Amino acid sequence: MNIYTTDKIRNVALLGHNGSGKTSLVEAFAYLSGITTRMGTIQSGNTLSDFDKEEVKRQLSIHTSIIPIEWEGVKINFLDTPGYLDFAGEVEEAVSAADAAIITVSGKSGIEVGTRRAWEMCEKYKLPRMVFVTEMDDDNASFRQVVQDLQDLYGKKIAPFHLPIRENGEFVGYVNVVQQTGKRWNENGGVDKGEVPDYSQENLGICREALLEAVAETSEEFMDRYFAGDEFSEDEIRQALRVNVADGSIIPVLMGSNTMARGMYTLLSDIIKYLPGPDRLKVAGINVKTNEVFEADYDFAKPKSAYVFKTIVDPFIGKYSLIKVNSGVIKTDDLLYNHDTDTEQKIGKVYVIRGNKPEEVSELHAGDIGALAKLNNVSTTDTLSTKSNPIIYTKASIPKPYTYRRYTAVNKGDEDKISQALAKIMQEDLTVKNVNDSANGQTLIYGLGEQHLDVVVNTLKEKYKVEITLDRPRISFKETIRKKSDVEYKYKKQSGGHGQYGHVKMTFEPSGNLDEPYEFTQTVVGGSVPKNYFPAVEKGIAEAVLAGPLAGYPVVGVKAELYDGSYHPVDSSEMAFKTASIGAFKKGFMEANPVLLEPIASLKVVVPDQYTGDVMGDLNKRRGRVLGMNPTDFGKQEIIADIPYMELFGYTMDLRSMTGGSGDYSYEFARYEQAPSDIQEKQVEAAQNKE
């Protein structure tokens, strides 16, 4: 591949609802630019973007793929992102490296949840964007309806550039709204200019008005002229578009057919014409040596720096760190410094990646996207720079995973292999988390949803040849007491030679401190229990609180006092007193009104206004307590509630089902509360059955 300077680069994220045509759009670009000789399809499993076995099997994008397209002397780095919510981390990574976005919308399905989410993502990162309406070869597709719905949602900044021309149910051309001319595709794939069909005149008038209104909104002068009835020239319209598409105040809407590769020439040309390249953008980091702002601004003449926005780890091709060069020119054998890990290393070869195929290049200019192979101590969101000019950039905001399951190895002895394989998966996917919950004797895996976890399980099996099963996790209940008890316990054992003898009298009562398992004191007088056995008694308590006698959960908030007992000068030992104190604890605990404590989460659910009633009703059914509601961006409400952890099982899927995929939630541990009696009974019964 050729080397491209900063002004000849575009970095464009493809965003949109699952199935809206992002991957097939890339296929059309690849075909038209000569990368492929025929277009692959998702159904055939032979697309450039969706090359992973899981993607082929599920027929959906799981990972962001980079597909650079060379067009009219410009390199367009397309970042094809997943549309499914379970893989939102991949979208965040892609957007952190993009300078603009294309939001794909199906002409048949219209505006969907993924469309709105894509728009919100662009707003969050202030990305200039275009909307491309796909499937226009289908007779049920309605471009006009999509434009109308976009305008209802986002106002006058929506500017339709085209209208479809259909004849006998076929998609044969389009009307250019700027030029007010008709264009029809010919056999060579080009277009022939012609008249606007009579049946399109009314729609042209509507779209032309919307376009001119969007242009008028961009300046007071244009607004005055618009209201005065002046006509804008084509040059004036295009000049306004160049400025205002780049700053996000105009959003062009184009359309075409991915499978027929129609509308692609215009889209590629308009990407180059209207979407900004890195040379027109700003980017800044912090120089950690001087603590001053480093204005990189994609300037090739400034010291080298790059942001690692994604990592690929493959058992066969190895590890690649995908970078966006923010300043300077990255070349083969450069020495780069990573402030995050305080390491410096020679980078070796420089690559561009197209799908799953790396291609070696000699250098990457500021603003370009490429890859570096086999870098140790380099992770996603790290910054690479020079030791003399150490820089750090703002890290992408990666979604936190809240869906989790307990997992076990199918084959005994595979635990280490599974742990190593998960470590590699977590290098590649920051939304996967592996947690060892030793308090409850389980290992947990976290992800962004059920399908996400299913993909991880299959990846372990297919790529790393290890298998795990997922189960409902054990909730971290605790046990404590509500009353005081006074017990005596004697451990006596005789079996020839020395026997075992330990005798304790103890009280147990609530300590009032649920942050600590126990408090131990002794008030023995007269030497009834020698001092040298006090530590053994405490060891017994320390061991007993690890799994309480009620249901086997850790104990908290107990005050244990040793006040009397007896010993045998020959048969007593530390082990005997430890065993006696364990017996005393179990007896005393069960006599002191034992209760189960359940963990409570502080939950935040963000949903569009129309779903607040359904969500709050559902939270009440889950024993949740709604504490309040706050308005947030994009006409949404944040519902704040307290809810038991055990009621959050399956919440990701249920919330998506309730809100059509538009709801999000997050939670954090708040406190422990006494569990209701029915919950306690079930847990005690389950523990007894297990025994």
Side-chain angles (χ1 to χ4, degrees), residues 19-180:
S20 62
K22 299 179 292 297
T23 298
S24 58
L25 188 61
V26 169
E27 283 301 307
F29 293 154
Y31 172 68
L32 291 176
S33 63
I35 294 170
T36 56
T37 53
R38 68 187 185 92
M39 287 191 282
T41 65
I42 291 162
Q43 293 71 25
S44 303
N46 58 351
T47 63
L48 286 173
S49 297
D50 292 354
F51 51 83
D52 185 89
K53 277 187 182 178
E54 283 298 302
E55 293 177 316
V56 172
K57 183 176 83 175
R58 295 168 190 270
Q59 297 195 357
L60 54 84
S61 297
I62 292 171
H63 308 288
T64 289
S65 295
I66 318 296
I67 310 291
I69 300 291
E70 297 172 284
W71 191 261
E72 295 177 358
V74 174
K75 178 188 180 188
I76 309 172
N77 291 311
F78 285 107
L79 297 104
D80 180 17
T81 69
Y84 200 79
L85 293 175
D86 281 28
F87 312 108
E90 296 279 336
V91 184
E92 288 279 356
E93 289 174 357
V95 168
S96 73
D99 302 322
I102 303 287
I103 300 175
T104 57
V105 180
S106 162
K108 284 197 298 181
S109 306
I111 307 300
E112 298 173 272
V113 171
T115 315
R116 295 172 188 249
R117 283 183 175 272
W119 185 279
E120 289 164 17
M121 184 80 79
C122 291
E123 290 289 300
K124 174 181 166 184
Y125 285 94
K126 297 182 171 53
L127 280 188
R129 73 215 73 148
M130 293 178 171
V131 175
F132 187 75
V133 183
T134 62
E135 298 187 290
M136 290 308 298
D137 53 307
D138 192 297
D139 212 26
N140 295 317
S142 174
F143 180 74
R144 183 183 171 185
Q145 189 61 53
V146 171
V147 170
Q148 183 63 57
D149 291 345
L150 285 168
Q151 288 172 334
D152 290 345
L153 279 170
Y154 306 119
K156 295 175 180 176
K157 61 169 67 176
I158 300 297
F161 274 23
H162 301 139
L163 280 172
I165 296 177
R166 279 203 175 86
E167 288 177 0
N168 302 320
E170 285 193 28
F171 181 44
V172 297
Y174 64 94
V175 176
N176 185 311
V177 177
V178 176
Q179 296 174 343
Q180 300 184 84

Side-chain angles (χ1 to χ4, degrees), residues 73-355:
V74 174
K75 178 188 180 188
I76 309 172
N77 291 311
F78 285 107
L79 297 104
D80 180 17
T81 69
Y84 200 79
L85 293 175
D86 281 28
F87 312 108
E90 296 279 336
V91 184
E92 288 279 356
E93 289 174 357
V95 168
S96 73
D99 302 322
I102 303 287
I103 300 175
T104 57
V105 180
S106 162
K108 284 197 298 181
S109 306
I111 307 300
E112 298 173 272
V113 171
T115 315
R116 295 172 188 249
R117 283 183 175 272
W119 185 279
E120 289 164 17
M121 184 80 79
C122 291
E123 290 289 300
K124 174 181 166 184
Y125 285 94
K126 297 182 171 53
L127 280 188
R129 73 215 73 148
M130 293 178 171
V131 175
F132 187 75
V133 183
T134 62
E135 298 187 290
M136 290 308 298
D137 53 307
D138 192 297
D139 212 26
N140 295 317
S142 174
F143 180 74
R144 183 183 171 185
Q145 189 61 53
V146 171
V147 170
Q148 183 63 57
D149 291 345
L150 285 168
Q151 288 172 334
D152 290 345
L153 279 170
Y154 306 119
K156 295 175 180 176
K157 61 169 67 176
I158 300 297
F161 274 23
H162 301 139
L163 280 172
I165 296 177
R166 279 203 175 86
E167 288 177 0
N168 302 320
E170 285 193 28
F171 181 44
V172 297
Y174 64 94
V175 176
N176 185 311
V177 177
V178 176
Q179 296 174 343
Q180 300 184 84
T181 57
K183 298 188 178 184
R184 294 165 187 268
W185 286 289
N186 56 37
E187 292 177 0
N188 304 321
V191 289
D192 298 325
K193 289 185 182 179
E195 296 298 314
V196 177
D198 291 342
Y199 59 79
S200 295
Q201 290 291 349
E202 184 182 346
N203 279 347
L204 173 59
I206 294 168
C207 288
R208 176 81 176 174
E209 193 62 27
L211 176 66
L212 294 178
E213 206 169 335
V215 170
E217 291 277 334
T218 62
S219 76
E220 285 187 20
E221 182 199 340
F222 277 4
M223 185 63 82
D224 292 341
R225 285 178 57 191
Y226 175 73
F227 282 122
D230 281 2
E231 184 68 25
F232 300 129
S233 70
E234 185 179 324
D235 283 346
E236 284 178 322
I237 293 171
R238 291 200 184 280
Q239 186 54 39
L241 290 173
R242 279 191 186 92
V243 173
N244 295 290
V245 170
D247 70 12
S249 54
I250 288 181
I251 313 297
V253 187
L254 298 88
M255 50 97 221
S257 163
N258 300 358
T259 53
M260 296 174 74
R262 289 186 169 174
M264 306 299 138
Y265 284 98
T266 316
L267 177 56
L268 286 166
S269 178
D270 283 354
I271 286 170
I272 293 168
K273 213 180 289 177
Y274 297 119
L275 293 182
D279 59 314
R280 294 168 62 189
L281 300 170
K282 302 281 185 188
V283 65
I286 297 291
N287 183 318
V288 291
K289 190 183 279 186
T290 64
N291 213 25
E292 293 175 351
V293 174
F294 174 70
E295 294 176 350
D297 297 342
Y298 305 111
D299 187 339
F300 77 96
K302 289 186 176 177
K304 303 171 196 285
S305 69
Y307 174 72
V308 181
F309 69 91
K310 182 174 168 57
T311 303
I312 297 172
V313 180
D314 188 278
F316 306 108
I317 65 170
K319 175 184 170 184
Y320 286 91
S321 301
L322 272 56
I323 61 167
K324 183 180 186 185
V325 184
N326 286 353
S327 60
V329 179
I330 303 287
K331 298 182 180 180
T332 301
D333 293 337
D334 271 345
L335 197 62
L336 293 181
Y337 174 70
N338 181 355
H339 177 265
D340 293 276
T341 56
D342 190 24
T343 54
E344 190 177 32
Q345 59 186 306
K346 189 182 279 192
I347 61 171
K349 293 176 180 176
V350 178
Y351 299 90
V352 293
I353 287 190
R354 183 176 280 136

Side-chain angles (χ1 to χ4, degrees), residues 337-641:
Y337 174 70
N338 181 355
H339 177 265
D340 293 276
T341 56
D342 190 24
T343 54
E344 190 177 32
Q345 59 186 306
K346 189 182 279 192
I347 61 171
K349 293 176 180 176
V350 178
Y351 299 90
V352 293
I353 287 190
R354 183 176 280 136
N356 63 344
K357 292 182 172 62
E359 184 181 325
E360 192 180 336
V361 290
S362 59
E363 59 190 36
L364 291 170
H365 281 244
D368 208 350
I369 285 173
L372 307 174
K374 298 172 184 173
L375 288 186
N376 301 321
N377 305 311
V378 172
S379 306
T380 304
T381 73
D382 284 355
T383 299
L384 300 175
S385 55
T386 59
K387 201 157 190 177
S388 58
N389 194 65
I391 305 300
I392 50 170
Y393 291 106
T394 304
K395 295 176 182 288
S397 125
I398 306 296
K400 189 175 176 182
Y402 290 103
T403 303
Y404 66 102
R405 296 287 180 272
R406 176 165 58 99
Y407 74 87
T408 49
V410 171
N411 300 311
K412 293 288 181 188
D414 273 357
E415 287 80 6
D416 283 347
K417 287 182 186 173
I418 291 166
S419 183
Q420 289 165 14
L422 281 173
K424 289 179 180 176
I425 289 172
M426 288 188 293
Q427 275 190 335
E428 197 167 19
D429 186 349
L430 300 187
T431 60
V432 176
K433 209 166 66 170
N434 182 23
V435 174
N436 180 20
D437 178 15
S438 55
N440 291 290
Q442 59 184 357
T443 44
L444 304 172
I445 185 165
Y446 283 74
L448 295 183
E450 308 284 346
Q451 181 154 236
H452 189 198
L453 293 180
D454 192 39
V455 166
V456 173
V457 171
N458 284 357
T459 301
L460 286 169
K461 184 178 178 181
E462 295 295 329
K463 273 191 182 178
Y464 298 99
K465 310 305 177 191
V466 287
E467 293 185 59
I468 61 172
T469 54
L470 301 184
D471 298 296
R472 186 168 185 144
R474 193 171 190 235
I475 298 298
S476 302
F477 286 94
K478 305 276 190 193
E479 298 180 20
T480 194
I481 52 177
R482 289 286 182 243
K483 291 182 180 174
K484 184 174 182 178
S485 64
D486 189 334
V487 295
E488 177 180 4
Y489 194 91
K490 189 180 287 184
Y491 176 64
K492 190 175 180 182
K493 194 174 182 185
Q494 198 72 40
S495 57
H498 283 310
Q500 294 287 338
Y501 183 90
H503 175 211
V504 294
K505 292 181 180 180
M506 301 184 73
T507 61
F508 297 94
E509 62 185 311
S511 70
N513 180 8
L514 295 180
D515 293 329
E516 295 294 335
Y518 71 92
E519 291 175 14
F520 174 72
T521 59
Q522 60 76 27
T523 54
V524 177
V525 292
S528 56
V529 177
K531 287 181 180 179
N532 56 309
Y533 293 131
F534 294 167
V537 173
E538 184 173 0
K539 275 184 186 175
I541 302 299
E543 188 174 303
V545 297
L546 297 175
L550 184 62
Y553 289 104
V555 170
V556 292
V558 172
K559 182 181 179 183
E561 182 180 310
L562 171 68
Y563 68 89
D564 201 0
S566 64
Y567 75 103
H568 189 281
V570 176
D571 291 347
S572 286
S573 66
E574 287 189 2
M575 180 56 71
F577 272 96
K578 179 183 170 186
T579 306
S581 74
I582 290 173
F585 179 86
K586 288 178 179 176
K587 185 181 177 187
F589 191 90
M590 295 305 288
E591 290 178 8
N593 188 14
V595 294
L596 211 57
L597 301 174
E598 65 175 337
I600 304 296
S602 177
L603 175 72
K604 292 179 181 177
V605 188
V606 179
V607 291
D609 275 336
Q610 67 263 37
Y611 298 116
T612 52
D614 292 342
V615 170
M616 286 195 284
D618 178 71
L619 289 175
N620 288 331
K621 287 179 194 169
R622 294 173 184 266
R623 299 192 288 129
R625 292 192 296 273
V626 175
L627 304 176
M629 219 162 51
N630 301 314
T632 65
D633 297 335
F634 310 112
K636 294 183 179 181
Q637 293 285 344
E638 179 187 65
I639 301 166
I640 300 168

